[in-house]
Amino acid sequence: MSDGRRPRPPALARRLLECVAPRAMREALVGDLEEAFYADVLPARGAMRARAWYWRETIRVAVMRLPFVEGEDDVVSTGDSSMQLLAADLRFAVRMLARRPGFSLLAILTLAVGIGATTAIFSVLDPMLFRALPYPDAGRILTVWERDHDGSESNVGFATFTDIARDNKSLVAVAAIGSWQTVMTSTAEPERLEGERVSYGYFDVLGVQPVLGRAFRADEDAPNAPRVVVLSDGLWRRRFGGDPSLVGKPVTLGGNPYTVIGVMAKSFENVLGPRTQMWTPLRYDASLAWACRTCRHLRAVGRLKPAVDAASARRELDQLSANLIRAYPNDYPASGFALVPVRDWMTRAVRPALLAVFGAVALLLVIACANVTSLLLARAAQRESEFAVRIALGAGHRRVLRQLLTESVLLAAVGGAAGFALAYAGLVLLVRLGPADLPRLDAITVDARVLAFAIVVTALAGIASGLAPALHVARGDLQSSIRRAGHRTGGSTRTRSMLVVGEMALALVLLVGTGLLLRSLGRLLGVNPGVDPNHLLTMEVQVSGAKYRNDTAVRAFFDDALRAVRAIPGVDRAGLASQLPLGGNFDSYGVHIELKPNANPELDPSAMRYAVSADYLETMRIPVKRGRSLTAQDAAGAPEVLVINETFARHMWPGDDPIGKRVRVGAPDKGAWFTIVGIAGDVQHVSLDAARADQMYIPEAQWRFADDALTLVVRTRGDPAEMASAVRSAVWSVDKDQAITSVATMEKVLAASTARRRFLLMLFELFAVVALALAAAGTYGVLSGSVAQRAREIGIRAALGATRGDILRLVVRQGVGLAVAGIAIGTAAALALSRAIAGLLFGVTATDPLTFAAVATILLAVALAACAVPAWRAARLDPVVALRSET
């Protein structure tokens, strides 16, 4: 060294050694280590490498070499505190686990998989099912629905909403919500935005206010009030750079100026419309056609008064419903209102699937704990003589029990830490792969609640895994353990065999669930959607601006755009429609049959309305089964016609021919009579597993108003995705300021409609594969231990003439016996538990015999594979060596 001083060992390492070493050995250990440092290491390696060596030797001596003897005064003595005892237990646990790195790593990885998967799934479920919604007193926010003729929940009409808002005494605030899709234009490319039209009390119901500016006033929710808008934080930052001076300034939406009066906080979460980017007042006029009682296109939400519960509010609104029915008997198909908490409404579609996934991951965690328990049992059995000596020296059974539990909890702690890291990485993947319609997807995160859950699960896993081995050792016979000293043993074979049987049973339950979901998805994908998705491109086009305020201009734009698209090389056909099958939209109208009047028109059927261009049915390849399709001659001014689907024909004209019959769409007492000219094939619109609904196709030119947003469908000769740019350019060649959104091939639209089921199946498949691997590992471990324990027996059998085939059958019979027992128990459990996912199945029963048989066969095959190596080892045992090792 430059200052001439002699290099010394690291002082911190020396202090560490003095802290952890027993007092009787402390001076000798430190002296020996320092002597080696100065005499041998420093001259040969230099100062830096010598210090590194000293650190390494300090850790090795502290962790690996300190003996565990109850009489040592630093390990346990009469005057030691609980913390000192815990520290001693932890030090020894670290040493014991470090001596068997393979065993420790296997146990840690097993626990990490179980704890990590459970934590990741909990982090997904927490914001949806457990955590409070991000509003003050969120449990008092209820959605309000009218009743349909079959008792199901229905949207509310504006007139009904105003009656509820005026006359109810249970809700401190109530608001109506309508969908709003508009186009924002500026110097940038026009952008179609998702918004909501809401009554002025909407933010009061939620209990939130804008972070900039203000919310709506009552006078702004009037027919001729100035147009105002509140923006989401995301839209404000993305489109306007987060400029706070925007409040009070105009923006152009749908060709009209709107004044920005507020910006919501970044933390605001609109669970009633997750994709909403802005809000504007309803501004409804009660005299308007769409503000009627039968025009049920609004959602309603209310906040309970502090002293009122949901049951009382429901009774009051039911009485209000009865009053409305007496006053307007032809406007309500059923009595009563439905009040549903916002969380229940938000999660009802996914709750069964989420609970099923949580149950599956809980089974996986139990299997992981059982596997680690089996490993610890085998390890404890190998240490029986060690424990017997300690007990003989006065340690006591409780001391040994505590030490083994400390080791298992330490394993779980390390496994839990690894599992938490695994959960964090897995959560990123889950969010990325999760379906877009998963509620509160943006709220899924790893936070303090998830960390607390992981800690609790880790502690429970550690205790559960270590309790059985600890009790097994604590209850063992001291004398027999000493007599077995030096003999190899396979541990408590009966207990470990029971654990394997349990693992097999739980794995079967998971595999059955996976098999049922897999078969269900196969059946679902086999459903004919009613259209040909191949070579089909879809996109939504919306017009806005002052020049499109009359129907003639809107229809002229779409006609010109359709001609421009049809002229593109590579385009086979093209058409327009007001809604796209499986596209997530829904447009339904009441249908009143000319010769079948109903005393209450509200009880007349409803059908899904498709306002379409000529050639739409041909572009989608929806077959016309009878009559004719819609043509260019079905234009404005021509006789009004429509095409219905087969289900509608069977529903309303069973055994009769509906061709030539006339119906009125919408209001029962006004509007044109449409003549049915054709019957088309059924199309799955809502989802592939939904019941086929009544459908009608009306020439867009003959509908009472022009839709400002239509879906363009283009059938191409080549790859439709490669044609998207050309199709957009063709539409913009007519008007570059109109928004184009939702560009996707029909195959992707079809895949998106099954995304939730695919996601659920993916999780079940993952858990089932891991569970199967753990069950196979458990079987292998038990059989390997059994072969080692029965080496003398196998040697005697071989000496008495048993062939290798006999010994192979002996081991295989034991493994197959465990599998058969697990299959029997698991089948009974699966028959009971599979009903929990019955609502998630399609075309398959929860007790599908083919699935159960296939899963049982897979488990038997896995058990046989797990038997292979232990059976091979048993068959190759030398009788002389086996007998000599037991003498």
Side-chain angles (χ1 to χ4, degrees):
M1 298 175 64
S2 59
D3 59 2
R5 288 185 297 177
R6 185 186 186 190
R8 297 177 58 83
L12 183 59
R14 176 170 177 156
R15 284 197 293 272
L16 174 64
L17 187 59
E18 290 174 347
C19 290
V20 299
R23 294 173 190 169
M25 304 174 59
R26 190 169 298 158
E27 292 184 6
L29 281 173
V30 173
D32 290 345
L33 212 57
E34 291 200 0
E35 181 180 354
F37 176 84
Y38 287 119
D40 301 322
V41 183
L42 186 61
R45 304 188 183 184
M48 184 176 295
R49 296 181 63 189
R51 285 193 176 95
W53 172 87
Y54 194 94
W55 266 111
R56 185 173 66 251
E57 288 302 302
T58 297
I59 295 172
R60 186 180 66 82
V61 169
V63 174
M64 300 290 291
R65 295 296 180 85
L66 294 182
F68 180 75
V69 180
E70 296 286 6
E72 290 179 358
D73 58 358
D74 83 316
V75 177
V76 60
S77 65
T78 305
D80 279 344
S81 66
S82 297
M83 292 304 298
Q84 289 173 319
L85 295 178
L86 177 60
D89 287 343
L90 285 173
R91 286 198 301 270
F92 181 71
V94 170
R95 292 196 298 273
M96 295 306 299
L97 297 178
R99 286 178 182 174
R100 293 295 182 93
F103 159 82
S104 301
L105 183 61
L106 180 59
I108 287 169
L109 289 178
T110 301
L111 287 171
V113 170
I115 295 172
T118 308
T119 302
I121 295 301
F122 173 80
S123 64
V124 174
L125 268 61
D126 185 41
M128 300 181 198
L129 303 182
F130 308 130
R131 193 191 311 165
L133 294 178
Y135 309 123
D137 294 324
R140 305 192 67 78
I141 304 176
L142 306 173
T143 56
V144 184
W145 309 90
E146 290 189 47
R147 294 286 187 186
D148 212 338
H149 61 86
D150 58 358
S152 61
E153 297 160 6
S154 171
N155 288 342
V156 300
F158 178 74
T160 304
F161 162 73
T162 57
D163 289 337
I164 295 173
R166 182 186 65 245
D167 298 335
N168 92 90
K169 302 296 187 295
S170 301
L171 303 173
V172 66
V174 62
I177 308 167
S179 61
W180 181 36
Q181 295 176 338
T182 189
V183 177
M184 177 176 285
T185 54
S186 65
T187 56
E189 184 177 292
E191 180 181 3
R192 206 274 295 277
L193 300 174
E194 297 287 340
E196 287 179 340
R197 296 187 182 276
V198 298
S199 58
Y200 70 92
Y202 178 70
F203 295 110
D204 294 328
V205 172
L206 298 183
V208 296
Q209 293 296 318
V211 69
L212 290 178
R214 60 174 176 83
F216 306 122
R217 297 192 304 259
D219 61 290
E220 292 170 331
D221 190 10
N224 297 314
R227 293 184 174 92
V228 294
V229 65
V230 173
L231 305 181
S232 69
D233 177 85
L235 177 62
W236 175 58
R237 293 181 187 277
R238 176 174 56 81
R239 191 84 184 195
F240 303 101
D243 181 10
S245 66
L246 181 67
V247 175
K249 294 182 178 179
V251 295
T252 303
L253 300 172
N256 298 307
Y258 282 73
T259 301
V260 177
I261 63 169
V263 177
M264 299 306 296
K266 184 177 182 180
S267 59
F268 173 65
E269 186 179 345
N270 192 53
V271 300
L272 293 167
R275 294 187 297 175
T276 301
Q277 302 177 72
M278 56 191 179
W279 299 263
T280 193
L282 277 175
R283 302 172 71 243
Y284 268 24
D285 185 341
S287 65
L288 294 174
W290 57 82
C292 66
R293 295 182 181 278
T294 58
C295 304
R296 299 183 180 90
H297 60 276
L298 297 175
R299 292 179 292 144
V301 60
R303 176 179 284 272
L304 289 171
K305 291 182 177 179
V308 179
D309 59 21
S312 300
R314 189 174 293 107
R315 286 193 296 270
E316 186 206 7
L317 290 185
D318 283 347
Q319 182 59 50
L320 177 59
S321 171
N323 297 337
L324 290 174
I325 290 176
R326 281 194 295 270
Y328 309 98
N330 293 331
D331 290 341
Y332 295 95
S335 63
F337 289 99
L339 299 182
V340 183
V342 170
R343 181 192 293 282
D344 293 347
W345 168 80
M346 178 185 71
T347 61
R348 62 172 48 174
V350 298
R351 179 183 293 268
L354 293 176
L355 293 178
V357 170
F358 195 65
V361 76
L363 291 180
L364 179 63
L365 179 61
V366 172
I367 294 173
C369 290
N371 227 21
V372 174
T373 299
S374 182
L375 290 172
L376 290 173
L377 274 171
R379 179 80 174 114
Q382 294 171 359
R383 298 167 60 190
E384 278 186 349
S385 59
E386 170 196 340
F387 296 136
V389 171
R390 292 179 185 158
I391 293 172
L393 294 175
H397 286 79
R398 291 179 61 186
R399 179 79 172 112
V400 174
L401 176 68
R402 188 178 67 212
Q403 179 59 50
L404 285 174
L405 283 176
T406 301
E407 292 180 17
S408 67
V409 171
L410 180 60
L411 272 176
V414 179
F420 190 76
L422 186 65
Y424 186 83
L427 186 61
V428 174
L429 187 62
L430 284 175
V431 172
R432 184 178 302 171
L433 297 178
D437 59 349
L438 202 63
R440 303 198 69 190
L441 191 63
D442 293 337
I444 297 173
T445 185
V446 176
D447 55 12
R449 286 171 59 91
V450 176
L451 177 60
F453 175 84
I455 291 172
V456 171
V457 169
T458 298
L460 293 176
I463 295 172
S465 301
L467 193 58
L471 291 176
H472 170 72
V473 171
R475 292 173 181 174
D477 178 60
L478 175 62
Q479 298 300 325
S480 61
S481 295
I482 294 176
R483 287 195 299 268
R484 288 198 303 267
H487 293 276
R488 195 174 179 186
T489 177
S492 176
T493 305
R494 178 179 300 177
T495 304
R496 296 183 67 203
S497 296
M498 290 174 60
L499 288 171
V500 169
V501 169
E503 289 180 36
M504 284 285 185
L506 295 176
L508 183 138
V509 173
L510 277 175
L511 284 168
V512 164
T514 303
L516 291 173
L517 290 171
L518 183 61
R519 280 176 53 75
S520 176
L521 182 62
R523 294 287 180 86
L524 188 66
L525 296 178
V527 171
N528 179 12
V531 302
D532 181 3
N534 299 308
H535 298 283
L536 193 61
L537 178 69
T538 72
M539 60 183 68
E540 190 168 344
V541 183
Q542 181 166 354
V543 297
S544 63
K547 57 184 175 182
Y548 296 111
R549 289 180 180 171
N550 64 76
D551 289 352
T552 302
V554 172
R555 287 184 168 127
F557 166 80
F558 281 114
D559 288 343
D560 292 343
L562 193 57
R563 279 192 291 270
V565 170
R566 287 170 175 168
I568 299 173
V571 170
D572 188 24
R573 289 179 180 272
L576 292 162
S578 57
Q579 54 180 339
L580 180 69
L582 303 172
N585 44 17
F586 188 86
D587 187 17
S588 180
Y589 279 79
V591 180
H592 312 283
I593 301 172
E594 184 179 27
L595 300 179
K596 296 183 178 181
N598 199 315
N600 183 359
E602 282 302 304
L603 298 179
D604 280 341
S606 294
M608 298 175 62
R609 176 196 71 110
Y610 296 84
V612 301
S613 67
D615 221 21
Y616 169 78
L617 294 175
E618 290 74 15
T619 301
M620 298 292 283
R621 292 182 180 169
I622 301 172
V624 176
K625 301 299 183 70
R626 278 190 290 164
R628 68 173 177 87
S629 182
L630 301 176
T631 67
Q633 283 68 44
D634 299 317
E640 288 82 1
V641 298
L642 57 75
V643 172
I644 64 174
N645 68 328
E646 290 180 296
T647 294
F648 196 6
R650 287 193 301 268
H651 176 203
M652 294 309 301
W653 292 275
D656 194 5
D657 185 5
I659 301 294
K661 302 291 194 301
R662 297 203 308 170
V663 298
R664 181 174 275 157
V665 180
D669 54 354
K670 58 184 177 181
W673 288 99
F674 288 84
T675 302
I676 299 172
V677 296
I679 300 175
D682 292 329
V683 171
Q684 299 295 131
H685 183 86
V686 178
S687 64
L688 291 177
D689 60 343
R692 293 181 174 177
D694 295 344
Q695 298 161 349
M696 55 186 176
Y697 300 90
I698 299 173
E700 199 283 327
Q702 293 184 351
W703 186 240
R704 66 191 62 163
F705 59 83
D707 291 89
D708 61 357
L710 292 175
T711 297
L712 174 65
V713 292
V714 182
R715 187 164 295 280
T716 64
R717 299 185 185 95
D719 185 356
E722 294 179 356
M723 298 289 293
S725 178
V727 172
R728 277 195 298 257
S729 297
V731 174
W732 282 332
S733 69
V734 179
D735 189 337
K736 66 179 179 60
D737 293 327
Q738 304 315 307
I740 298 175
T741 60
S742 306
V743 180
T745 65
M746 194 63 199
E747 290 177 329
K748 287 188 175 180
V749 173
L750 187 63
S753 71
T754 61
R756 189 179 295 174
R757 290 179 182 270
R758 292 177 186 272
F759 181 68
L760 179 65
L761 176 61
M762 178 194 70
L763 293 178
F764 262 85
E765 285 177 334
L766 177 62
F767 299 154
V769 168
V770 174
L772 190 61
L774 291 176
T779 304
Y780 170 81
V782 167
L783 294 178
S784 294
S786 176
V787 169
Q789 185 180 15
R790 300 171 67 182
R792 179 179 175 82
E793 173 195 342
I794 293 171
I796 293 173
R797 288 175 179 268
L800 294 177
T803 65
R804 287 189 174 183
D806 295 331
I807 296 173
L808 280 172
R809 282 191 292 273
L810 176 69
V811 179
V812 170
R813 187 164 55 246
Q814 181 183 1
V816 171
L818 295 176
V820 169
I823 290 171
I825 296 172
T827 300
L831 286 171
L833 297 177
S834 60
R835 291 180 173 83
I837 63 170
L840 307 175
L841 304 180
F842 176 80
V844 179
T845 64
T847 57
D848 179 52
L850 181 60
T851 301
F852 277 79
V855 168
T857 302
I858 291 172
L859 276 178
L860 280 175
V862 169
L864 286 171
C867 293
V869 174
W872 179 78
R873 287 177 180 171
R876 292 179 59 86
L877 273 176
D878 188 334
V880 176
V881 175
L883 293 172
R884 183 181 299 146
S885 66
E886 296 293 328
T887 58

